[in-house]
Amino acid sequence: MYDTILVPTDGSDAANRATEHAVSLAHTFGADLYGLYVVDTQRYGKQTLGTEDVLEELEERGREVLAELEERADAGQVQATTEVVDGRPSSEIMAYADEIDADLIVIGNRGLGGIGGTIGSNAERVVRYGDRPVITA
């Protein structure tokens, strides 16, 4: 049913739930698992990201989050391929899903910036405008 599963993450609790679910599904279906961390260049703005040090620090945080994802995948007997990219999260998630021809996206329902009980803006955009099945966790 699923050959390729994408799990975008920002290290939030919801993203960690999504990771656990994606690892379980990848194990069950023998699917390839891909983890993606997007440095939100819209959130920080060009002036903040104008120095190489700031961008490198944000990308390093992404690599740390993805290392945790890889550990969870290993514990679930699944190999994960991971990547850090820069841009608008929802756009980058959908573009990467196209690039890897993902059969499913498993995404946290709220990210690090989220408050309240509704679905987060990036998850909503992926659900609303994406062209493939999405599970929110």
Side-chain angles (χ1 to χ4, degrees), residues 90 93 107-110 119-128 134 136:
S90 58
I93 291 165
I107 189 170
N109 61 354
R110 299 287 308 160
I119 190 168
S121 59
N122 289 311
E124 181 180 1
R125 284 186 201 102
V126 171
V127 168
R128 187 178 299 252
V134 178
T136 61

Side-chain angles (χ1 to χ4, degrees), residues 2-122:
Y2 302 118
D3 294 320
T4 306
I5 298 172
L6 171 60
V7 59
T9 184
D10 59 6
S12 65
D13 290 342
N16 290 335
R17 284 192 308 273
T19 296
E20 292 299 324
H21 196 73
V23 168
S24 177
L25 286 169
H27 180 74
T28 298
F29 291 102
D32 295 328
L33 181 66
Y34 290 81
L36 181 68
Y37 184 96
V38 181
V39 174
D40 187 349
T41 54
Q42 274 193 292
R43 171 182 282 182
Y44 299 105
K46 289 181 183 177
Q47 196 168 22
T48 303
L49 296 174
T51 66
E52 197 65 31
D53 293 342
V54 173
L55 185 58
E56 179 57 35
E57 187 174 316
L58 293 168
E59 289 173 346
E60 178 59 31
R61 169 70 179 137
R63 287 187 288 275
E64 291 168 2
V65 168
L66 290 173
E68 292 172 17
L69 183 147
E70 291 171 354
E71 288 175 17
R72 288 186 170 140
D74 285 344
Q77 300 176 334
V78 172
Q79 183 175 354
T81 302
T82 60
E83 187 166 345
V84 175
V85 298
D86 303 336
R88 181 179 184 180
S90 58
S91 298
E92 294 300 325
I93 291 165
M94 290 183 284
Y96 193 71
D98 288 342
E99 182 182 322
I100 64 170
D101 196 23
D103 300 307
L104 176 68
I105 299 171
V106 183
I107 189 170
N109 61 354
R110 299 287 308 160
L112 288 172
I115 40 180
T118 61
I119 190 168
S121 59
N122 289 311

